[in-house]
């Protein structure tokens, strides 16, 4: 099955390792994953070295080619939202959204450290 994988790029690259794990798991299950720069470690928050039009044309072509869209939606992204809408409403293909709630561990540690220093 051809899977288009989507995740935030310009909103921050803190999840790239997680994106790579998802792509690896899909590939290990025998799927052909179309991921572009989203899972590439060498691509920063500025995105790829292609024009916006080239990226758009490529990605919309991949959406048309894919059987399903798997979108990591934990980091807000207008681009991922557009891809979800295009896949669902233009191509009438299934969309799977993955979401990880934020962890609160770091906030609790900060709170404890602040309370202890008072």
């Amino acid at each position: 099955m051809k899977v288009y994988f989507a995740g935030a790029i310009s909103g921050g690259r803190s999840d790239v390792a997680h994106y790579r794990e998802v792509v690896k798991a899909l590939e290990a299950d025998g799927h052909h994953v179309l991921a572009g720069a989203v899972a590439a470690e060498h691509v920063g928050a500025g995105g790829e070295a292609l024009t916006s039009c080239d990226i758009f044309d490529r990605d919309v072509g991949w959406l048309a080619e894919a059987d399903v869209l798997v979108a990591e939606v934990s980091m807000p992204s207008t681009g991922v939202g557009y891809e979800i809408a295009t896949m669902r409403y233009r191509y009438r293909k299934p969309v799977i959204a993955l979401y990880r709630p934020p962890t609160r561990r770091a906030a609790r540690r900060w709170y404890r450290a602040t309370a202890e220093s008072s």
Side-chain angles (χ1 to χ4, degrees), residues 15-76:
D15 284 342
V16 71
H18 173 64
Y19 296 162
R20 291 178 59 78
E21 287 179 29
V22 173
V23 168
K24 283 181 189 178
L26 290 166
E27 290 174 337
D29 283 344
H31 303 292
H32 177 70
V33 180
L34 306 167
V38 71
E41 289 182 7
H42 69 281
V43 176
E48 298 176 84
L50 297 171
T51 68
S52 297
C53 290
D54 289 340
I55 293 169
F56 178 84
D57 290 341
R58 179 201 62 202
D59 290 356
V60 170
W62 281 351
L63 287 169
E65 185 181 335
D67 301 305
V68 63
L69 165 65
V70 174
E72 212 313 336
V73 298
S74 303
M75 173 71 68

Side-chain angles (χ1 to χ4, degrees), residues 76-117:
S77 168
T78 304
V80 173
Y82 180 85
E83 291 167 329
I84 290 170
T86 300
M87 188 65 152
R88 186 69 194 112
Y89 298 108
R90 180 176 179 187
Y91 296 118
R92 305 217 178 271
K93 296 180 183 179
V95 172
I96 298 169
L98 308 176
Y99 174 76
R100 291 177 302 131
T103 61
R104 295 183 179 202
R105 220 178 354 203
R108 283 193 221 128
R109 279 194 220 135
W110 177 84
Y111 175 76
R112 273 196 300 250
T114 304
E116 290 171 2
S117 66

